Amino acid sequence: MPIPEDVTGDEIDKDVRQELQSLPKTLAEDVAKNLVMVARLIDEDPEGAYGYSRVALRLASRVAAVREAAGFAAYANQKYSEALGEFRAARRMTGTVELWPVMADCERGLGRPEKALDMAGAPEVHKLDKAGQVEMRLVAAGARRDMGQLDAAIVTLQSPELASNSVQPWTARLRYAYADALLAAGRESEAREWFAKAVEADRDGSTDASDRLAELDGVEFVDALDESDAAEEGDNAAGQVDRSDDEVRVEKTHEDAEAVEDVEGKDVEDKD
């Protein structure tokens, strides 16, 4: 797949660059460039990111960072079985537990929420950092909802991190998930409160909490493009009316002229 000229491969994380040092220099550069493209496209063009991840995987399947990138690209395309296999391979290579929450979410994607809950209660969770533990809590709550256990999902999300007033990278998503679970359980007033709190914490717009809050408040948004189209249609209609009036006036003028000609012609005949 083509690599844009502005991609050098130096954009990758230093830890990944260190992993690639086990490869020949030219090969390492090629793999790095493909990994950069995966990171660049994964949010806006998941299919494109997946394509670059397959190239990197073909070039360096024994590099843990490559297997991890391939896993996330597959995950972004809802290829959960493939993603889980890549994550497991990366974990075997590194021995770390960082991928545990996303592996559990793959189990959810494969329709196995019970397996995800088992993973949420495994010893590996205690080895996760705070961000990983919050992510695991989100996955567990999602698994509860998959099983129709709305109240249990709400309880699962109730935690010190949820109650904290400090804003962390995970705060908006945690509050959003809690609000969404409350709404699903029919607790609308509480859901509105937590959607509002999610908006306060969502500094980079990672959720649609503001839209959900507006929806609960009965606010309707009008697309600016629709307004422009309507205005243009109105102008066109007005123009058509004006043109029609002009045509009527022209036709009337022609009729008057013909009438005058008829009268003059008649006068001439009478004189004859």
Side-chain angles (χ1 to χ4, degrees):
M1 297 181 67
I3 303 290
E5 293 182 1
D6 65 318
V7 174
T8 65
D10 294 334
E11 301 89 341
I12 61 174
D13 183 87
K14 62 179 182 179
D15 292 334
V16 176
R17 189 179 300 112
Q18 186 174 356
E19 280 192 63
L20 296 179
Q21 289 179 355
S22 62
L23 302 174
K25 187 175 185 299
T26 302
L27 179 59
E29 291 176 353
D30 289 341
V31 173
K33 290 178 181 180
N34 280 280
L35 292 181
V36 170
M37 292 305 298
V38 172
R40 177 180 289 190
L41 298 176
I42 196 164
D43 291 328
E44 297 181 359
D45 182 11
E47 291 185 5
Y50 180 76
Y52 283 103
S53 75
R54 301 307 296 178
V55 174
L57 193 61
R58 187 173 66 251
L59 295 174
S61 62
R62 295 186 179 183
V63 176
V66 171
R67 303 302 290 266
E68 183 175 329
F72 278 110
Y75 179 82
N77 285 275
Q78 300 182 3
K79 299 178 183 292
Y80 298 116
S81 180
E82 184 178 327
L84 185 58
E86 297 298 343
F87 289 142
R88 284 173 174 168
R91 183 167 179 266
R92 284 195 300 269
M93 294 175 179
T94 62
T96 64
V97 296
E98 294 177 359
L99 297 172
W100 197 253
V102 71
M103 289 170 63
D105 205 39
C106 285
E107 295 289 359
R108 283 188 60 211
L110 291 169
R112 301 193 292 247
E114 298 87 352
K115 178 62 177 177
L117 287 177
D118 289 342
M119 294 180 68
E124 284 82 355
V125 175
H126 301 293
K127 300 177 184 179
L128 294 168
D129 59 13
K130 181 62 68 176
Q133 291 179 4
V134 171
E135 194 66 35
M136 192 71 248
R137 190 178 292 275
L138 288 169
V139 173
R144 291 292 186 188
R145 291 189 62 172
D146 293 342
M147 299 167 67
Q149 301 173 2
L150 293 177
D151 290 338
I154 292 171
V155 172
T156 298
L157 293 168
Q158 293 171 346
S159 62
E161 293 81 16
L162 180 67
S164 176
N165 290 323
S166 65
V167 176
Q168 302 295 334
W170 61 77
T171 302
R173 292 179 60 239
L174 183 60
R175 291 177 179 178
Y176 182 95
Y178 188 59
D180 194 45
L182 288 168
L183 187 61
R187 296 160 62 173
E188 186 171 317
S189 61
E190 294 174 83
R192 189 204 176 282
E193 175 187 351
W194 282 98
F195 275 127
K197 291 182 177 181
V199 171
E200 293 174 0
D202 195 1
R203 296 168 179 171
D204 59 356
S206 61
T207 73
D208 64 345
S210 59
D211 292 340
R212 299 292 299 278
L213 182 61
E215 184 180 340
L216 286 174
D217 288 341
V219 177
E220 294 185 4
F221 295 98
V222 178
D223 194 325
L225 293 176
D226 291 342
E227 289 184 343
S228 299
D229 292 343
E232 185 177 348
E233 289 178 2
D235 292 341
N236 290 339
Q240 290 173 359
V241 170
D242 291 343
R243 285 194 295 273
S244 296
D245 289 344
D246 290 341
E247 291 171 358
V248 169
R249 284 193 291 271
V250 170
E251 291 176 359
K252 179 64 175 174
T253 300
H254 287 168
E255 290 175 357
D256 292 343
E258 289 175 355
V260 169
E261 290 177 356
D262 290 343
V263 170
E264 291 177 346
K266 185 174 182 182
D267 289 343
V268 171
E269 292 177 357
D270 292 341
K271 289 179 180 179
D272 292 342

